[in-house]
Amino acid sequence: MLILTCPACGIAADETELHPGGEAHVARAGPHASEEAFSDYLFSRENPRGVHFERWRHAMGCGKWFHAARCTVTLEIFGTYRADCTAPPEALLERIRAARPGWSWRDFK
Amino acid sequence: MQRYSVFAVAREAMRHHRGWQRAWRSPEPRKRYDVVIVGAGGHGLATAYYLGRNHGIRNVAILEKGWLGGGNTGRNTTIIRSNYLQDASAAIYEKSRSLYETMSQDLNYNVMFSPRGVMMLAQTEHEKRGYLRTAHANGRQGVATEFIGPDRVKQLCPIIETRGPRYPVLGALWQPRAGTARHDAVAWGYARACSDMGMDIIQQCEVTGITSRQGHVTGVETSRGPIACGKLGLVAAGHSGVLSQMAGFRLPIESVALQALVSEPVKPCMDVVVMANTVHGYLSQSDKGEMVIGGGADGYNNYTQRGSFHHVEETVRALIETFPMLSRLNMLRQWGGIVDMTGDRSPILSRSPLAGCFVNCGWGTGGFKAIPGSGWAMAELMARGASTLADPFSLSRFAEGRFIDESVAAGVAH
Ligand SMILES: Cc1cc2nc3c(=O)[nH]c(=O)nc-3n(C[C@H](O)[C@H](O)[C@H](O)COP(=O)(O)OP(=O)(O)OC[C@H]3O[C@@H](n4cnc5c(N)ncnc54)[C@H](O)[C@@H]3O)c2cc1C
Ligand SMILES: [Zn+2]
């Protein structure tokens, strides 16, 4: 079972207490975006075999949304951070790069 | 190819079974093929088979990183049905189901297709209305289904507790010619037929890169060296996202784990397949007597083929209310597969932004039933550039808002 620490209330919560919310940091295209950019925003998703950034909700706890960096192969958690970040914190990215040389995710090279 | 028949069995019995041949060759990869298919699951093998059989394209290689049929094709609960809601789905799934009817004869390989009937239980008013609607739609599509009441459900499957307490059975969508088949045999049967047509099935050959020139695919890099091709088919289910990344485009797909479990074998107690989508579980009895139980999917991206305990608990807890006799059974095995989910829960059979490269994926939790129909349509698409069965499922449907919405009709897993 996954255990994620909710950055809002500080509790280490079991997977059953949480609700997954999909890919993180998807910026809304528009209002004058091209159709391609808009359909990309709506439908295309990163689907990495490796470290992924996701949104989670502490549904059965404090109710707050937050972000997590998690490996989809080993289920290793690299860290969680607040919902109001538009990009992963640099320290977290450093940790992931150190553990996974050559790793990249979308634009966060 | 050595034909299998009752006479072959008798002949081999006389000589201690020493005359059986290998079902398929394991050749070294050649430098170039007209068509390369990535993924020797059911869909990849069926695509290759119909390329050869229907379109005369036989210079084909099927590349598999593990062993053939070792992906979702060998991990599913083998339910075959075609009672979908939308016309495009009914067309391809019913084509597929009808091909299953004659598959053993066509391939000269016993795939043990058993049209024992599938019933999808309605356990809420909402679900009942949904299935009534599907039954009407199926009537117009020429798919034989009917909505049956609780008494008929009990008659067809006496071990169901129809009176609740939490989820009383209000009726069911019943498709009498739906059923199951042996999953491994489907992969093996197609593999044998492909090999017999001169196609190369190359196992333990992982595709690690896709090469192109001026926007047109030229070949693949693999763990066994580069292989050039004229056309490329990506048929890798849960790993489609990884391959599309190599080809330089993204797919509207996310990969999640779906799991199943089987019990110890018991005497025959149910001869139909029952799906209970409200409680996220479905059940059939294998020929060996095991109760085969399918559960729900994880809600987050995942490449670990194992599933999670709380889903097992959730599935089993709900199922024993509907099937009280299950409560005394020991479970023998539990496993997971990585399924490729699209937003509208319908597959993608399409050209891709890279010319000459085609994708067949997004079958998610329900693509075993679709193997022959999908192979048929994909082969037509790759050979001719268009296919009436495949065209509605093109990638462009997302941008154009032409969803083929099966998420309501099909519940969760199947
Ligand atoms: C637990 C479970 C229960 C299910 N129950 C049902 C059911 O009852 N009825 C139903 O209709 N469907 C069911 N399904 C869904 C069904 O199993 C799949 O939709 C179907 O098997 C997909 O077949 P495929 O050939 O596309 O994929 P797969 O069989 O997964 O084949 C893809 C192949 O591609 C290979 N591959 C991946 N990446 C590479 C690479 N880079 N290089 C080379 N090869 C690669 C993989 O090793 C794999 O063998 C279930 C699935 C699961 C997991
Ligand atoms: Zn919290």
Side-chain angles (χ1 to χ4, degrees):
Chain A
M1 180 158 319
L2 289 176
I3 300 174
L4 301 182
T5 303
C6 169
C9 68
I11 281 178
D14 279 356
E15 187 178 335
T16 44
E17 216 174 295
L18 302 163
H19 190 80
E23 183 177 340
H25 310 305
V26 180
R28 189 185 193 285
H32 302 295
S34 67
E35 288 196 356
E36 200 179 326
F38 198 70
S39 110
D40 222 40
Y41 154 68
L42 282 176
F43 306 112
S44 292
R45 289 292 173 264
E46 291 299 307
N47 192 8
R49 195 171 189 282
V51 183
H52 194 29
F53 295 102
E54 304 170 306
R55 302 193 320 142
W56 286 82
R57 186 170 170 246
H58 194 185
M60 302 297 198
C62 70
K64 297 282 188 245
W65 284 97
F66 63 93
H67 288 122
R70 184 180 62 89
C71 177
T72 61
V73 181
T74 61
L75 301 190
E76 194 175 348
I77 315 283
F78 285 90
T80 56
Y81 52 101
R82 290 167 54 104
D84 56 2
C85 303
T86 51
E90 195 49 41
L92 177 62
L93 289 171
E94 278 308 315
R95 251 199 329 277
I96 300 169
R97 284 191 205 108
R100 304 286 160 90
W103 166 84
S104 74
W105 187 83
R106 245 205 268 153
D107 301 329
F108 306 109
K109 293 267 155 30
Chain B
M1 176 171 74
Q2 189 183 37
R3 278 190 70 77
Y4 297 152
S5 68
V6 60
F7 305 107
V9 173
R11 187 189 64 228
E12 291 305 324
M14 307 294 280
R15 53 180 186 189
H16 305 285
H17 294 281
R18 277 179 308 211
W20 295 117
Q21 295 167 358
R22 284 192 176 274
W24 54 82
R25 297 168 294 112
S26 293
E28 283 301 311
R30 280 186 264 144
K31 292 260 173 299
R32 187 186 184 283
Y33 296 89
D34 291 343
V35 174
V36 163
I37 304 286
V38 183
H43 289 259
L45 291 163
T47 300
Y49 173 74
Y50 292 111
L51 274 173
R53 208 196 82 172
N54 292 355
H55 306 281
I57 300 172
R58 300 197 168 167
N59 183 7
V60 176
I62 306 125
L63 312 182
E64 168 56 51
K65 73 176 167 132
W67 65 95
L68 71 88
N72 293 344
T73 299
R75 294 165 185 269
N76 74 88
T77 47
T78 76
I79 299 175
I80 296 166
R81 61 183 181 89
S82 59
N83 50 356
Y84 283 71
L85 179 63
Q86 310 293 347
D87 291 349
S89 322
I92 195 164
Y93 286 107
E94 177 58 14
K95 170 76 183 168
S96 197
R97 198 205 57 77
S98 68
L99 286 168
Y100 266 114
E101 295 254 7
T102 55
M103 190 185 285
S104 294
Q105 291 76 11
D106 293 345
L107 298 179
N108 179 235
Y109 202 97
N110 187 2
V111 301
M112 297 162 81
F113 177 57
S114 159
R116 59 184 67 181
V118 171
M119 68 168 83
M120 298 167 71
L121 300 184
Q123 292 179 289
T124 62
E125 279 297 333
H126 176 77
E127 211 175 7
K128 182 176 169 183
R129 281 196 292 273
Y131 287 148
L132 279 166
R133 179 179 177 215
T134 306
H136 288 311
N138 290 161
R140 302 201 38 111
Q141 292 151 345
V143 177
T145 66
E146 63 179 303
F147 190 85
I148 57 175
D151 292 346
R152 187 80 201 290
V153 169
K154 186 82 186 166
Q155 191 188 9
L156 285 163
C157 186
I159 65 170
I160 291 186
E161 173 54 83
T162 51
R163 284 162 308 176
R166 195 147 58 112
Y167 295 113
V169 174
L170 308 175
L173 181 63
W174 169 240
Q175 185 175 18
R177 292 300 291 178
T180 61
R182 169 133 194 246
H183 49 12
D184 294 327
V186 172
W188 296 340
Y190 276 124
R192 174 167 166 265
C194 287
S195 180
D196 184 51
M197 284 190 279
M199 297 178 178
D200 288 354
I201 302 165
I202 301 161
Q203 303 184 67
Q204 318 241 297
C205 177
E206 178 167 2
V207 172
T208 53
I210 294 173
T211 53
S212 62
R213 193 180 322 119
Q214 289 162 350
H216 199 288
V217 70
T218 53
V220 290
E221 310 276 355
T222 78
S223 54
R224 296 176 65 172
I227 300 173
C229 66
K231 286 180 186 168
L232 179 67
L234 306 179
V235 198
H239 286 76
S240 299
V242 180
L243 283 155
S244 76
Q245 202 177 7
M246 293 176 200
F249 57 91
R250 292 205 296 175
L251 290 170
I253 281 197
E254 294 191 272
S255 299
V256 303
L258 177 71
Q259 62 191 322
L261 56 159
V262 300
S263 75
E264 60 193 330
V266 289
K267 289 197 171 165
C269 62
M270 77 185 276
D271 58 3
V272 295
V273 180
V274 178
M275 299 174 60
N277 285 342
T278 295
V279 299
H280 289 210
Y282 47 96
L283 187 67
S284 65
Q285 189 170 24
S286 75
D287 292 343
K288 281 185 283 183
E290 302 152 326
M291 304 308 287
V292 182
I293 300 173
D298 281 339
Y300 49 85
N301 293 37
N302 204 346
Y303 284 85
T304 61
Q305 293 178 318
R306 58 181 199 215
S308 38
F309 290 118
H310 66 275
H311 273 302
V312 173
E313 191 183 351
E314 186 184 280
T315 302
V316 171
R317 194 168 53 202
L319 272 183
I320 57 178
E321 273 191 37
T322 307
F323 301 92
M325 67 155 273
L326 290 188
S327 66
R328 311 259 183 89
L329 285 184
N330 293 308
M331 293 299 149
L332 287 190
R333 292 190 303 281
Q334 176 264 2
W335 66 92
I338 303 307
V339 296
D340 38 342
M341 308 295 282
T342 57
D344 59 359
R345 299 293 183 265
S346 285
I348 296 168
L349 290 126
S350 183
R351 301 158 173 279
S352 78
L354 179 62
C357 173
F358 297 78
V359 288
N360 179 347
C361 58
W363 293 98
T365 60
F368 175 70
K369 62 178 71 63
I371 285 172
S374 151
W376 184 286
M378 180 73 174
E380 193 172 36
L381 179 65
M382 290 186 75
R384 302 226 178 114
S387 152
T388 29
L389 282 177
D391 292 344
F393 297 98
S394 71
L395 259 175
S396 62
R397 78 169 183 271
F398 294 96
E400 291 163 10
R402 282 188 291 110
F403 309 115
I404 303 170
D405 186 359
E406 292 294 351
S407 51
V408 184
V412 276
H414 45 105

